[in-house]
Protein backbone atom coordinates (compact mmCIF):
# COMPACT_ATOMS: atom_id res chain seq x y z
CA UNK A 1 0.00 0.00 0.00
CA UNK A 2 1.19 3.47 -0.88
CA UNK A 3 -0.32 6.57 0.73
CA UNK A 4 -0.32 9.85 -1.23
CA UNK A 5 -0.99 13.01 0.75
CA UNK A 6 -2.13 16.31 -0.74
CA UNK A 7 -3.04 19.11 1.64
CA UNK A 8 -2.24 22.46 3.21
CA UNK A 9 -1.12 23.56 6.65
CA UNK A 10 -1.15 26.90 8.40
CA UNK A 11 2.66 26.82 8.43
CA UNK A 12 5.55 24.39 7.99
CA UNK A 13 5.18 22.76 11.41
CA UNK A 14 1.44 22.31 10.87
CA UNK A 15 2.10 20.68 7.48
CA UNK A 16 4.63 18.31 9.06
CA UNK A 17 2.08 17.41 11.75
CA UNK A 18 -0.50 16.52 9.09
CA UNK A 19 2.03 14.36 7.25
CA UNK A 20 2.87 12.52 10.45
CA UNK A 21 -0.81 12.11 11.34
CA UNK A 22 -1.97 10.69 8.01
CA UNK A 23 1.26 9.30 6.56
CA UNK A 24 0.59 5.66 7.37
CA UNK A 25 -1.94 3.31 5.73
CA UNK A 26 -4.03 2.77 8.88
CA UNK A 27 -4.58 6.48 9.57
CA UNK A 28 -5.28 7.15 5.89
CA UNK A 29 -7.79 4.29 5.74
CA UNK A 30 -9.56 5.62 8.84
CA UNK A 31 -9.78 9.10 7.33
CA UNK A 32 -11.16 7.69 4.08
CA UNK A 33 -13.75 5.66 5.98
CA UNK A 34 -14.88 8.81 7.80
CA UNK A 35 -15.35 10.55 4.46
CA UNK A 36 -17.41 7.64 3.10
CA UNK A 37 -19.56 7.52 6.24
CA UNK A 38 -20.18 11.26 6.07
CA UNK A 39 -21.38 11.05 2.46
CA UNK A 40 -23.51 7.97 3.14
CA UNK A 41 -25.26 9.78 5.98
CA UNK A 42 -25.62 12.98 3.97
CA UNK A 43 -26.91 11.41 0.77
CA UNK A 44 -29.09 8.88 2.57
CA UNK A 45 -31.62 11.30 4.08
CA UNK A 46 -34.10 10.47 1.30
CA UNK A 47 -33.89 7.19 -0.59
CA UNK A 48 -36.23 6.24 -3.42
CA UNK A 49 -37.07 2.79 -4.73
CA UNK A 50 -39.30 3.35 -7.75
CA UNK A 51 -39.90 1.27 -10.89
CA UNK A 52 -37.71 3.79 -12.77
CA UNK A 53 -34.07 2.96 -12.02
CA UNK A 54 -32.84 6.08 -13.83
CA UNK A 55 -34.69 8.22 -11.26
CA UNK A 56 -33.37 6.10 -8.38
CA UNK A 57 -29.76 6.37 -9.54
CA UNK A 58 -29.84 10.16 -9.77
CA UNK A 59 -32.03 10.97 -6.75
CA UNK A 60 -30.32 8.57 -4.34
CA UNK A 61 -26.91 10.14 -4.54
CA UNK A 62 -25.61 11.76 -7.68
CA UNK A 63 -27.78 14.89 -7.79
CA UNK A 64 -27.26 15.80 -4.15
CA UNK A 65 -23.55 15.04 -4.44
CA UNK A 66 -23.22 17.28 -7.50
CA UNK A 67 -25.06 20.09 -5.73
CA UNK A 68 -23.19 19.86 -2.44
CA UNK A 69 -19.66 18.91 -3.48
CA UNK A 70 -19.39 20.86 -6.73
CA UNK A 71 -21.83 23.73 -6.44
CA UNK A 72 -21.96 24.54 -2.75
CA UNK A 73 -18.59 23.52 -1.28
CA UNK A 74 -16.07 23.81 -4.12
CA UNK A 75 -17.99 26.28 -6.29
CA UNK A 76 -15.79 24.97 -9.06
CA UNK A 77 -15.86 22.37 -11.79
CA UNK A 78 -14.05 21.02 -14.81
CA UNK A 79 -15.55 23.72 -17.05
CA UNK A 80 -15.43 26.59 -14.58
CA UNK A 81 -12.75 26.95 -11.95
CA UNK A 82 -14.05 29.96 -10.08
CA UNK A 83 -14.66 29.67 -6.36
CA UNK A 84 -16.99 32.65 -6.24
CA UNK A 85 -20.41 32.73 -4.61
CA UNK A 86 -23.14 33.61 -7.08
CA UNK A 87 -25.89 35.42 -5.20
CA UNK A 88 -28.79 33.74 -6.97
CA UNK A 89 -26.81 30.59 -7.89
CA UNK A 90 -25.96 29.21 -4.46
CA UNK A 91 -29.28 30.39 -3.02
CA UNK A 92 -31.00 28.11 -5.52
CA UNK A 93 -28.61 25.29 -4.64
CA UNK A 94 -29.52 25.84 -1.00
CA UNK A 95 -33.18 25.18 -1.80
CA UNK A 96 -32.08 21.63 -2.62
CA UNK A 97 -29.78 20.85 0.30
CA UNK A 98 -32.42 22.03 2.75
CA UNK A 99 -33.59 18.38 2.84
CA UNK A 100 -30.13 17.29 3.97
CA UNK A 101 -28.47 20.18 5.79
CA UNK A 102 -31.00 22.87 6.79
CA UNK A 103 -28.43 24.47 9.10
CA UNK A 104 -26.22 25.26 6.08
CA UNK A 105 -29.19 26.87 4.34
CA UNK A 106 -29.89 29.00 7.42
CA UNK A 107 -26.31 30.28 7.48
CA UNK A 108 -26.10 30.81 3.73
CA UNK A 109 -29.27 32.92 3.60
CA UNK A 110 -27.81 35.21 6.26
CA UNK A 111 -24.48 35.32 4.42
CA UNK A 112 -26.28 36.42 1.26
CA UNK A 113 -28.20 39.07 3.17
CA UNK A 114 -24.84 40.55 4.16
CA UNK A 115 -23.95 40.94 0.45
CA UNK A 116 -26.87 43.31 -0.15
CA UNK A 117 -26.38 47.02 -0.74
CA UNK A 118 -28.41 49.58 1.20
CA UNK A 119 -30.34 50.37 -1.99
CA UNK A 120 -31.67 46.80 -2.10
CA UNK A 121 -29.57 45.38 -4.96
CA UNK A 122 -26.81 42.83 -4.33
CA UNK A 123 -23.44 41.61 -5.53
CA UNK A 124 -24.03 39.40 -8.57
CA UNK A 125 -21.09 37.32 -7.38
CA UNK A 126 -18.24 37.74 -4.91
CA UNK A 127 -15.02 36.01 -3.92
CA UNK A 128 -14.33 35.09 -0.31
CA UNK A 129 -12.63 35.91 1.95
CA UNK A 130 -12.43 39.64 1.17
CA UNK A 131 -15.71 39.93 -0.72
CA UNK A 132 -14.56 41.53 -3.97
CA UNK A 133 -17.26 41.15 -6.58
CA UNK A 134 -19.51 42.81 -9.12
CA UNK A 135 -22.38 45.20 -8.73
CA UNK A 136 -24.77 44.96 -11.67
CA UNK A 137 -28.17 45.95 -13.00
CA UNK A 138 -29.40 42.33 -13.04
CA UNK A 139 -33.05 42.46 -12.13
CA UNK A 140 -33.61 39.08 -10.48
CA UNK A 141 -30.53 38.51 -8.25
CA UNK A 142 -31.81 40.28 -5.16
CA UNK A 143 -35.28 38.72 -5.42
CA UNK A 144 -33.88 35.24 -4.75
CA UNK A 145 -33.27 36.34 -1.15
CA UNK A 146 -36.97 36.66 -0.22
CA UNK A 147 -37.81 33.68 -2.44
CA UNK A 148 -35.31 31.45 -0.61
CA UNK A 149 -36.23 32.83 2.80
CA UNK A 150 -39.89 31.99 2.25
CA UNK A 151 -38.94 28.47 1.15
CA UNK A 152 -36.70 27.98 4.20
CA UNK A 153 -39.38 29.12 6.65
CA UNK A 154 -42.10 27.04 4.97
CA UNK A 155 -39.84 23.97 5.02
CA UNK A 156 -38.40 24.22 8.54
CA UNK A 157 -41.05 26.26 10.35
CA UNK A 158 -38.16 28.34 11.74
CA UNK A 159 -39.53 31.89 11.98
CA UNK A 160 -36.64 32.97 14.22
CA UNK A 161 -34.37 33.44 11.20
CA UNK A 162 -36.43 36.50 10.24
CA UNK A 163 -35.15 38.28 13.37
CA UNK A 164 -31.49 37.48 12.70
CA UNK A 165 -29.51 40.58 11.77
CA UNK A 166 -27.07 41.16 8.93
CA UNK A 167 -25.16 44.23 7.82
CA UNK A 168 -25.31 45.89 4.40
CA UNK A 169 -22.71 46.76 1.80
CA UNK A 170 -21.85 50.29 0.75
CA UNK A 171 -20.51 51.19 -2.67
CA UNK A 172 -20.84 53.79 -5.37
CA UNK A 173 -23.89 53.71 -7.61
CA UNK A 174 -23.58 52.49 -11.17
CA UNK A 175 -23.05 55.29 -13.64
CA UNK A 176 -25.81 55.76 -16.26
CA UNK A 177 -23.68 54.11 -18.96
CA UNK A 178 -22.45 51.23 -16.73
CA UNK A 179 -23.81 47.68 -16.74
CA UNK A 180 -21.57 46.61 -13.88
CA UNK A 181 -18.36 47.27 -12.03
CA UNK A 182 -15.93 45.14 -10.00
CA UNK A 183 -14.84 46.42 -6.61
CA UNK A 184 -14.36 45.70 -2.91
CA UNK A 185 -17.39 47.33 -1.24
CA UNK A 186 -17.40 48.74 2.25
CA UNK A 187 -19.42 47.37 5.17
CA UNK A 188 -22.20 49.63 6.40
CA UNK A 189 -22.66 50.29 10.09
CA UNK A 190 -26.38 49.70 9.51
CA UNK A 191 -27.54 46.22 10.45
CA UNK A 192 -31.13 45.02 10.09
CA UNK A 193 -33.16 41.84 10.39
CA UNK A 194 -33.42 39.33 7.56
CA UNK A 195 -37.08 40.29 7.23
CA UNK A 196 -36.09 43.86 6.46
CA UNK A 197 -33.37 42.72 4.04
CA UNK A 198 -36.04 40.79 2.14
CA UNK A 199 -38.37 43.76 2.32
CA UNK A 200 -35.71 46.03 0.82
CA UNK A 201 -35.10 43.57 -1.99
CA UNK A 202 -38.79 43.42 -2.91
CA UNK A 203 -39.19 47.20 -2.75
CA UNK A 204 -36.19 47.53 -5.06
CA UNK A 205 -37.89 45.14 -7.47
CA UNK A 206 -41.09 47.19 -7.68
CA UNK A 207 -39.87 49.15 -10.69
CA UNK A 208 -42.08 48.90 -13.74
CA UNK A 209 -42.11 50.03 -17.35
CA UNK A 210 -44.82 51.30 -19.66
CA UNK A 211 -46.59 47.91 -19.80
CA UNK A 212 -46.69 47.65 -16.01
CA UNK A 213 -44.11 44.84 -16.06
CA UNK A 214 -40.82 44.75 -14.09
CA UNK A 215 -37.81 46.43 -15.65
CA UNK A 216 -35.40 44.03 -17.35
CA UNK A 217 -32.20 45.77 -16.30
CA UNK A 218 -29.00 44.19 -17.66
CA UNK A 219 -30.65 40.78 -17.73
CA UNK A 220 -33.15 38.87 -15.64
CA UNK A 221 -32.61 35.11 -15.16
CA UNK A 222 -31.05 35.08 -18.63
CA UNK A 223 -27.85 37.15 -18.35
CA UNK A 224 -27.38 36.80 -22.10
CA UNK A 225 -30.30 39.16 -22.73
CA UNK A 226 -28.28 42.11 -21.46
CA UNK A 227 -29.31 44.60 -24.16
CA UNK A 228 -33.10 44.20 -23.98
CA UNK A 229 -33.32 46.85 -21.27
CA UNK A 230 -29.95 48.56 -21.62
CA UNK A 231 -31.53 52.03 -21.64
CA UNK A 232 -33.61 51.37 -18.54
CA UNK A 233 -37.02 50.94 -20.18
CA UNK A 234 -37.08 47.28 -21.28
CA UNK A 235 -39.44 44.96 -19.39
CA UNK A 236 -39.38 41.25 -18.51
CA UNK A 237 -42.47 39.07 -18.67
CA UNK A 238 -40.72 36.19 -16.90
CA UNK A 239 -39.70 38.52 -14.09
CA UNK A 240 -43.33 39.55 -13.76
CA UNK A 241 -44.30 35.95 -13.01
CA UNK A 242 -41.36 35.49 -10.64
CA UNK A 243 -42.07 38.75 -8.78
CA UNK A 244 -45.75 37.84 -8.46
CA UNK A 245 -44.80 34.54 -6.87
CA UNK A 246 -42.56 36.33 -4.36
CA UNK A 247 -45.18 38.97 -3.53
CA UNK A 248 -47.72 36.25 -2.71
CA UNK A 249 -45.27 34.13 -0.70
CA UNK A 250 -43.82 37.05 1.24
CA UNK A 251 -47.22 38.56 2.04
CA UNK A 252 -48.16 35.25 3.68
CA UNK A 253 -44.87 35.30 5.59
CA UNK A 254 -45.42 38.92 6.62
CA UNK A 255 -48.83 38.03 8.04
CA UNK A 256 -47.23 35.33 10.19
CA UNK A 257 -44.57 37.86 11.24
CA UNK A 258 -47.27 40.33 12.36
CA UNK A 259 -46.50 42.77 9.55
CA UNK A 260 -50.03 43.04 8.18
CA UNK A 261 -49.58 46.42 6.49
CA UNK A 262 -46.62 45.11 4.46
CA UNK A 263 -48.58 41.95 3.64
CA UNK A 264 -51.58 43.92 2.44
CA UNK A 265 -49.44 46.27 0.34
CA UNK A 266 -47.70 43.38 -1.42
CA UNK A 267 -50.99 41.64 -2.10
CA UNK A 268 -52.22 44.80 -3.81
CA UNK A 269 -49.02 44.96 -5.84
CA UNK A 270 -49.49 41.31 -6.83
CA UNK A 271 -53.07 41.90 -8.01
CA UNK A 272 -52.01 44.87 -10.13
CA UNK A 273 -49.07 42.95 -11.59
CA UNK A 274 -51.29 40.01 -12.50
CA UNK A 275 -53.69 42.39 -14.27
CA UNK A 276 -50.81 43.88 -16.28
CA UNK A 277 -49.55 40.41 -17.21
CA UNK A 278 -53.05 39.49 -18.43
CA UNK A 279 -53.30 42.74 -20.37
CA UNK A 280 -49.83 43.05 -21.86
CA UNK A 281 -47.93 39.74 -21.84
CA UNK A 282 -50.20 37.41 -23.83
CA UNK A 283 -49.31 36.88 -27.48
CA UNK A 284 -52.25 34.78 -28.65
CA UNK A 285 -50.95 31.22 -28.11
CA UNK A 286 -48.25 31.78 -25.49
CA UNK A 287 -46.74 34.43 -23.25
CA UNK A 288 -44.17 36.85 -24.61
CA UNK A 289 -40.70 36.91 -23.07
CA UNK A 290 -39.94 40.63 -22.77
CA UNK A 291 -40.18 44.11 -24.27
CA UNK A 292 -37.17 46.02 -25.59
CA UNK A 293 -36.50 49.62 -24.54
CA UNK A 294 -38.39 50.84 -27.61
CA UNK A 295 -41.43 48.66 -26.87
CA UNK A 296 -40.67 45.92 -29.41
CA UNK A 297 -41.92 42.55 -28.18
CA UNK A 298 -39.57 39.59 -27.71
CA UNK A 299 -40.90 36.04 -27.71
CA UNK A 300 -43.77 36.85 -30.03
CA UNK A 301 -45.11 35.02 -33.09
CA UNK A 302 -44.28 38.21 -34.98
CA UNK A 303 -40.56 37.77 -34.29
CA UNK A 304 -38.44 36.00 -36.89
CA UNK A 305 -36.24 34.63 -34.10
CA UNK A 306 -37.12 33.70 -30.52
CA UNK A 307 -40.81 33.43 -31.30
CA UNK A 308 -41.31 31.48 -28.06
CA UNK A 309 -39.25 31.19 -24.87
CA UNK A 310 -39.67 28.38 -22.37
CA UNK A 311 -39.47 30.11 -18.98
CA UNK A 312 -42.34 32.54 -19.53
CA UNK A 313 -44.62 29.57 -20.17
CA UNK A 314 -43.45 27.42 -17.27
CA UNK A 315 -43.59 30.24 -14.74
CA UNK A 316 -47.10 31.22 -15.83
CA UNK A 317 -48.00 27.92 -14.14
CA UNK A 318 -45.41 27.75 -11.36
CA UNK A 319 -46.23 31.25 -10.13
CA UNK A 320 -50.00 30.92 -10.39
CA UNK A 321 -50.07 34.34 -12.08
CA UNK A 322 -51.16 33.09 -15.49
CA UNK A 323 -54.81 32.81 -16.42
CA UNK A 324 -55.43 29.03 -16.17
CA UNK A 325 -56.77 28.64 -19.71
CA UNK A 326 -54.00 30.75 -21.19
CA UNK A 327 -51.32 29.01 -19.12
CA UNK A 328 -52.55 25.61 -20.34
CA UNK A 329 -52.41 26.83 -23.94
CA UNK A 330 -48.96 28.31 -23.36
CA UNK A 331 -47.65 25.01 -22.00
CA UNK A 332 -49.09 23.19 -25.00
CA UNK A 333 -47.36 25.68 -27.29
CA UNK A 334 -44.06 25.14 -25.46
CA UNK A 335 -44.43 21.37 -25.82
CA UNK A 336 -45.20 21.68 -29.52
CA UNK A 337 -42.48 24.20 -30.37
CA UNK A 338 -39.61 23.46 -27.98
CA UNK A 339 -39.63 19.70 -27.28
CA UNK A 340 -37.45 17.81 -29.78
CA UNK A 341 -38.40 14.21 -29.18
CA UNK A 342 -36.16 12.77 -31.87
CA UNK A 343 -33.10 14.41 -30.24
CA UNK A 344 -34.15 13.96 -26.62
CA UNK A 345 -33.90 17.62 -25.62
CA UNK A 346 -36.02 20.66 -24.75
CA UNK A 347 -34.98 23.97 -26.27
CA UNK A 348 -34.91 27.17 -24.23
CA UNK A 349 -36.20 29.21 -27.15
CA UNK A 350 -36.85 28.83 -30.86
CA UNK A 351 -35.82 29.82 -33.48
CA UNK A 352 -32.33 30.75 -32.22
CA UNK A 353 -30.96 34.26 -32.71
CA UNK A 354 -28.91 34.53 -35.87
CA UNK A 355 -29.50 37.04 -38.66
CA UNK A 356 -32.55 39.10 -37.69
CA UNK A 357 -32.35 42.71 -36.58
CA UNK A 358 -33.15 41.79 -32.97
CA UNK A 359 -30.16 42.26 -30.68
CA UNK A 360 -31.03 41.00 -27.19
CA UNK A 361 -27.40 40.90 -26.07
CA UNK A 362 -24.48 38.52 -25.86
CA UNK A 363 -26.79 35.51 -26.19
CA UNK A 364 -26.64 36.27 -29.92
CA UNK A 365 -22.90 35.65 -29.82
CA UNK A 366 -23.46 31.93 -29.28
CA UNK A 367 -23.76 29.70 -32.32
CA UNK A 368 -27.47 29.11 -33.04
CA UNK A 369 -28.47 25.96 -31.17
CA UNK A 370 -25.72 26.25 -28.54
CA UNK A 371 -26.29 27.06 -24.85
CA UNK A 372 -28.96 29.70 -24.24
CA UNK A 373 -29.26 30.47 -27.94
CA UNK A 374 -31.77 27.77 -28.80
CA UNK A 375 -30.04 24.82 -27.20
CA UNK A 376 -31.39 22.95 -24.20
CA UNK A 377 -30.65 25.04 -21.14
CA UNK A 378 -31.40 22.31 -18.63
CA UNK A 379 -32.29 24.73 -15.84
CA UNK A 380 -35.24 25.98 -17.90
CA UNK A 381 -36.12 22.51 -19.20
CA UNK A 382 -36.59 21.34 -15.61
CA UNK A 383 -38.89 24.26 -14.85
CA UNK A 384 -41.04 23.24 -17.81
CA UNK A 385 -41.34 19.68 -16.48
CA UNK A 386 -42.12 21.00 -13.00
CA UNK A 387 -44.92 23.07 -14.50
CA UNK A 388 -46.46 20.01 -16.17
CA UNK A 389 -46.22 18.21 -12.83
CA UNK A 390 -47.99 21.08 -11.09
CA UNK A 391 -50.74 20.74 -13.72
CA UNK A 392 -50.87 17.02 -12.78
CA UNK A 393 -50.12 16.04 -16.36
CA UNK A 394 -48.48 12.72 -15.49
CA UNK A 395 -47.78 11.60 -19.03
CA UNK A 396 -45.95 14.77 -20.04
CA UNK A 397 -44.10 14.96 -16.73
CA UNK A 398 -42.56 11.51 -17.00
CA UNK A 399 -41.99 11.74 -20.75
CA UNK A 400 -39.98 14.93 -20.39
CA UNK A 401 -38.17 13.83 -17.24
CA UNK A 402 -37.01 10.71 -19.08
CA UNK A 403 -35.86 12.97 -21.90
CA UNK A 404 -33.62 15.22 -19.78
CA UNK A 405 -32.38 12.61 -17.27
CA UNK A 406 -28.66 12.19 -18.11
CA UNK A 407 -28.77 8.46 -17.32
CA UNK A 408 -30.96 7.99 -20.37
CA UNK A 409 -28.32 9.61 -22.59
CA UNK A 410 -25.69 7.05 -21.60
CA UNK A 411 -27.36 3.66 -21.67
CA UNK A 412 -25.45 2.47 -24.75
CA UNK A 413 -22.08 3.22 -26.38
CA UNK A 414 -23.94 4.78 -29.28
CA UNK A 415 -25.75 7.22 -26.96
CA UNK A 416 -22.51 8.19 -25.23
CA UNK A 417 -20.99 8.71 -28.66
CA UNK A 418 -23.56 11.43 -29.20
CA UNK A 419 -23.85 12.84 -25.65
CA UNK A 420 -20.08 12.77 -24.92
CA UNK A 421 -20.46 13.56 -21.19
CA UNK A 422 -20.89 11.85 -17.83
CA UNK A 423 -24.33 10.20 -17.67
CA UNK A 424 -24.40 10.63 -13.88
CA UNK A 425 -23.88 14.41 -13.79
CA UNK A 426 -26.44 16.93 -15.03
CA UNK A 427 -25.32 19.01 -18.01
CA UNK A 428 -26.07 22.72 -18.00
CA UNK A 429 -26.79 22.61 -21.72
CA UNK A 430 -27.32 20.22 -24.61
CA UNK A 431 -26.76 21.36 -28.20
CA UNK A 432 -29.47 21.46 -30.83
CA UNK A 433 -27.17 22.73 -33.62
CA UNK A 434 -27.20 20.36 -36.60
CA UNK A 435 -23.63 19.05 -36.43
CA UNK A 436 -23.80 18.34 -32.69
CA UNK A 437 -27.47 17.60 -31.89
CA UNK A 438 -27.74 15.90 -28.51
CA UNK A 439 -24.20 16.69 -27.36
CA UNK A 440 -23.80 17.85 -23.75
CA UNK A 441 -21.93 21.12 -23.46
CA UNK A 442 -21.09 21.76 -19.80
CA UNK A 443 -21.51 19.36 -16.88
CA UNK A 444 -21.07 19.40 -13.08
CA UNK A 445 -20.99 23.13 -12.39
CA UNK A 446 -24.66 23.85 -12.97
CA UNK A 447 -27.58 24.69 -10.71
CA UNK A 448 -29.67 22.34 -12.84
CA UNK A 449 -28.61 19.46 -10.57
CA UNK A 450 -30.41 20.94 -7.60
CA UNK A 451 -33.54 21.72 -9.55
CA UNK A 452 -33.60 18.20 -11.03
CA UNK A 453 -33.44 16.79 -7.50
CA UNK A 454 -36.43 18.91 -6.50
CA UNK A 455 -38.25 17.85 -9.68
CA UNK A 456 -37.82 14.17 -8.82
CA UNK A 457 -38.35 14.28 -5.06
CA UNK A 458 -41.01 16.98 -4.82
CA UNK A 459 -42.80 17.41 -8.15
CA UNK A 460 -42.92 13.72 -9.13
CA UNK A 461 -42.67 11.71 -5.90
CA UNK A 462 -44.62 14.40 -4.05
CA UNK A 463 -42.63 14.87 -0.82
CA UNK A 464 -43.26 18.35 0.59
CA UNK A 465 -41.85 19.13 4.02
CA UNK A 466 -43.82 21.80 5.88
CA UNK A 467 -42.37 22.31 9.34
CA UNK A 468 -42.91 19.10 11.31
CA UNK A 469 -45.22 17.57 8.73
CA UNK A 470 -44.58 15.76 5.47
CA UNK A 471 -47.26 16.38 2.84
CA UNK A 472 -47.66 13.71 0.15
CA UNK A 473 -48.85 14.83 -3.29
CA UNK A 474 -47.37 12.58 -6.00
CA UNK A 475 -47.58 13.01 -9.77
CA UNK A 476 -46.66 9.49 -10.85
CA UNK A 477 -47.39 7.48 -14.01
CA UNK A 478 -50.28 5.03 -14.16
CA UNK A 479 -48.02 1.99 -14.56
CA UNK A 480 -46.32 2.53 -11.18
CA UNK A 481 -48.35 0.14 -9.03
CA UNK A 482 -46.14 0.50 -5.98
CA UNK A 483 -42.93 2.16 -4.86
CA UNK A 484 -41.12 2.89 -1.64
CA UNK A 485 -39.39 5.86 0.06
CA UNK A 486 -37.23 6.07 3.14
CA UNK A 487 -37.37 9.54 4.69
CA UNK A 488 -34.97 10.43 7.51
CA UNK A 489 -36.24 13.05 9.95
CA UNK A 490 -33.31 13.79 12.25
CA UNK A 491 -32.74 10.44 14.01
CA UNK A 492 -36.08 8.91 13.01
CA UNK A 493 -36.84 6.91 9.87
CA UNK A 494 -40.17 6.98 8.04
CA UNK A 495 -40.73 4.11 5.59
CA UNK A 496 -43.39 5.17 3.11
CA UNK A 497 -44.99 2.78 0.64
CA UNK A 498 -47.17 4.08 -2.20
CA UNK A 499 -49.78 1.57 -3.40
CA UNK A 500 -52.36 1.65 -6.19
CA UNK A 501 -55.85 0.66 -5.11
CA UNK A 502 -59.19 0.06 -6.77
CA UNK A 503 -61.14 0.73 -3.58
CA UNK A 504 -64.01 3.19 -3.37
CA UNK A 505 -64.03 6.23 -1.12
CA UNK A 506 -61.36 8.86 -0.73
CA UNK A 507 -59.04 9.58 -3.64
CA UNK A 508 -55.94 9.01 -1.51
CA UNK A 509 -55.81 7.34 1.90
CA UNK A 510 -52.82 7.52 4.26
CA UNK A 511 -52.04 5.05 7.04
CA UNK A 512 -49.29 5.78 9.60
CA UNK A 513 -48.35 2.89 11.88
CA UNK A 514 -51.70 1.30 11.11
CA UNK A 515 -53.76 4.41 11.91
CA UNK A 516 -55.69 6.15 9.14
CA UNK A 517 -54.97 9.89 8.85
CA UNK A 518 -57.51 12.59 8.05
CA UNK A 519 -55.15 14.20 5.51
CA UNK A 520 -52.24 13.11 3.34
CA UNK A 521 -49.80 14.44 5.91
CA UNK A 522 -47.36 12.58 8.12
CA UNK A 523 -46.74 14.25 11.47
CA UNK A 524 -42.97 14.05 11.96
CA UNK A 525 -41.75 13.20 15.44
CA UNK A 526 -38.10 12.60 16.26
CA UNK A 527 -38.71 9.69 18.63
CA UNK A 528 -35.80 7.55 17.32
CA UNK A 529 -38.26 4.90 16.13
CA UNK A 530 -39.03 3.27 12.78
CA UNK A 531 -42.43 4.30 11.36
CA UNK A 532 -44.39 2.45 8.66
CA UNK A 533 -46.59 4.53 6.35
CA UNK A 534 -48.77 3.60 3.38
CA UNK A 535 -50.42 5.94 0.89
CA UNK A 536 -53.14 4.21 -1.11
CA UNK A 537 -53.68 5.99 -4.44
CA UNK A 538 -57.00 5.42 -6.11
CA UNK A 539 -56.46 4.34 -9.71
CA UNK A 540 -59.49 6.19 -11.10
CA UNK A 541 -58.00 9.39 -9.66
CA UNK A 542 -55.01 9.00 -11.96
CA UNK A 543 -57.21 8.30 -14.97
CA UNK A 544 -59.35 11.38 -14.40
CA UNK A 545 -56.32 13.63 -14.09
CA UNK A 546 -54.69 12.33 -17.24
CA UNK A 547 -57.69 13.05 -19.44
Amino acid sequence: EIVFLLGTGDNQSDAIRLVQQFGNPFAAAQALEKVKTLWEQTLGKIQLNTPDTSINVMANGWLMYQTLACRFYARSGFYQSGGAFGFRDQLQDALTIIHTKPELVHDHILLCASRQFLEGDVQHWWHPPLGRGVRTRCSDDFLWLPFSTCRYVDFTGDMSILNKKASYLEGRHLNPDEESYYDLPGISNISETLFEHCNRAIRHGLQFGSHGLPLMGSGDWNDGMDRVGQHGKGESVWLGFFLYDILIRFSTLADKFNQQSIAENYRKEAILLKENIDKNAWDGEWYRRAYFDDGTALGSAKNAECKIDSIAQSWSVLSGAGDPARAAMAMESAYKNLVRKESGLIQLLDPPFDKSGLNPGYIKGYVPGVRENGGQYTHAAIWLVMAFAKMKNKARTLELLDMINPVNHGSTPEQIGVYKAEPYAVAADVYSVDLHVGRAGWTWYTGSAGWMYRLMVESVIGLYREGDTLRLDPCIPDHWDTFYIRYQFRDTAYHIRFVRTEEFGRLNRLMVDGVEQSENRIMLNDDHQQHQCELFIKRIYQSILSE
Side-chain angles (χ1 to χ4, degrees), residues 94-107 109 148-162 164 194 253 256 458 464-470 487 489-490 524:
L95 300 183
T96 300
I97 67 175
I98 196 170
H99 287 280
T100 301
K101 292 185 174 291
E103 68 281 359
L104 281 184
V105 183
H106 172 281
D107 294 346
I109 288 174
S148 302
T149 298
C150 290
R151 156 89 171 162
Y152 171 83
V153 173
D154 287 345
F155 185 96
T156 64
D158 175 20
M159 293 284 289
S160 68
I161 193 175
L162 300 175
K164 300 288 178 65
L194 175 61
L253 190 65
K256 295 178 182 177
E458 297 176 6
Y464 295 94
R465 171 87 177 272
E466 297 170 349
D468 287 342
T469 67
L470 190 65
Y487 186 88
F489 176 66
R490 299 172 190 157
L524 301 172

Side-chain angles (χ1 to χ4, degrees), residues 403-477:
M403 191 176 292
I404 63 175
N405 188 331
V407 172
N408 298 325
H409 290 267
S411 301
T412 67
E414 291 75 22
Q415 286 179 317
I416 284 293
V418 172
Y419 193 61
K420 298 183 185 294
E422 310 92 329
Y424 45 82
V426 180
D429 61 312
V430 181
Y431 302 160
S432 67
V433 62
D434 287 343
L435 293 176
H436 303 287
V437 173
R439 178 172 180 170
W442 168 316
T443 59
W444 281 103
Y445 196 72
T446 166
S448 303
W451 280 104
M452 186 170 285
Y453 184 82
R454 291 189 61 189
L455 167 61
M456 290 179 177
V457 170
E458 297 176 6
S459 301
V460 175
I461 301 303
L463 292 184
Y464 295 94
R465 171 87 177 272
E466 297 170 349
D468 287 342
T469 67
L470 190 65
R471 179 168 60 88
L472 306 179
D473 186 19
C475 178
I476 57 173

Side-chain angles (χ1 to χ4, degrees), residues 24 47 74 109 132 187 191 245 310 344 378 446 475 519:
N24 68 79
Q47 290 290 292
I109 288 174
R132 288 188 182 275
I187 306 297
S191 180
D245 183 84
S310 167
T378 309
T446 166
C475 178
E519 296 181 283

Side-chain angles (χ1 to χ4, degrees), residues 241 282 284-287 308 312-318 321-336 384 387-388 391 393 396:
F241 288 123
W282 184 246
E285 294 184 59
W286 57 77
Y287 286 98
I308 182 171
Q313 322 318 321
S314 57
W315 274 84
S316 72
V317 174
L318 295 175
D323 173 82
R326 285 181 171 181
M329 185 185 298
M331 290 294 290
E332 190 64 31
S333 295
Y335 182 82
K336 182 174 66 176
L384 193 71
F388 275 119
M391 295 169 68
N393 190 325
R396 290 272 171 86

Side-chain angles (χ1 to χ4, degrees), residues 153-154 159 162 250-260 263:
V153 173
D154 287 345
M159 293 284 289
L162 300 175
F250 197 77
S251 62
T252 301
L253 190 65
D255 274 330
K256 295 178 182 177
F257 200 60
N258 295 319
Q259 296 288 334
Q260 278 73 30

Side-chain angles (χ1 to χ4, degrees), residues 5-22:
L5 295 180
L6 178 65
T8 59
D10 292 336
N11 48 49
Q12 185 178 18
S13 62
D14 188 38
I16 291 172
R17 179 188 63 80
L18 290 172
V19 170
Q20 292 172 340
Q21 181 179 353
F22 296 106

